[in-house]
Amino acid sequence: MRKEVKCVDAVVFGMIQGVVTAMGIWYLQRKLGKRDDAAEKREKEREDMEYNLLTAVNASIALGEATAKAVQRIPDAQCNGDMTAALSYTTTVKHDLKNFLNRKAVEKIV
């Protein structure tokens, strides 16, 4: 009879170990799931921030171009070559940025 008790004790002890291990794994999965959700949220917020920064850069370029063109039209402004060079540089940068974004969009799609 004593051997049967030892055998039952071993089985019960093994079942308790299994339950504790399963609970530990469940807890870790839950923690990692929350961490993944937080990482996805941060990534989405980062994408939104980058989009807003690009929008702000485009708005600044548009404002700079409009200001330069308006100043060039004033007869008494006496624009020097710096204004023309800055306007040309801004146009080049704007097109480079647009081409870069188009290239990255194609890479994402393909």
Side-chain angles (χ1 to χ4, degrees), residues 39-108:
E40 287 176 10
K41 182 180 177 185
R42 279 194 306 271
E43 183 63 28
K44 174 70 172 126
E45 289 172 352
R46 188 176 299 123
E47 287 175 6
D48 290 343
M49 182 187 71
E50 288 179 11
Y51 174 78
N52 289 332
L53 285 173
L54 281 173
T55 303
V57 166
N58 287 334
S60 296
I61 289 172
L63 178 63
E65 284 181 322
T67 303
K69 289 176 183 178
V71 169
Q72 283 179 339
R73 280 183 258 165
I74 299 172
D76 298 335
Q78 297 180 1
C79 293
N80 57 14
D82 291 342
M83 178 72 80
T84 306
L87 188 56
S88 175
Y89 176 70
T90 302
T91 304
T92 303
V93 169
K94 180 176 72 172
H95 291 298
D96 288 345
L97 179 61
K98 187 175 181 180
N99 291 337
F100 171 77
L101 292 173
N102 286 336
R103 194 170 54 250
K104 289 299 176 183
V106 168
E107 288 176 9
K108 272 286 202 201

Side-chain angles (χ1 to χ4, degrees), residues 1-14:
M1 178 147 165
R2 186 70 184 143
K3 282 188 175 183
E4 288 179 20
V5 172
K6 284 185 180 180
C7 186
V8 171
D9 287 346
V11 170
V12 170
F13 184 70

Side-chain angles (χ1 to χ4, degrees), residues 22-35:
M23 289 177 63
I25 290 172
W26 169 80
Y27 178 76
L28 286 174
Q29 284 179 333
R30 200 176 98 199
K31 267 301 215 200
L32 292 174
K34 285 182 182 179
R35 192 177 290 173

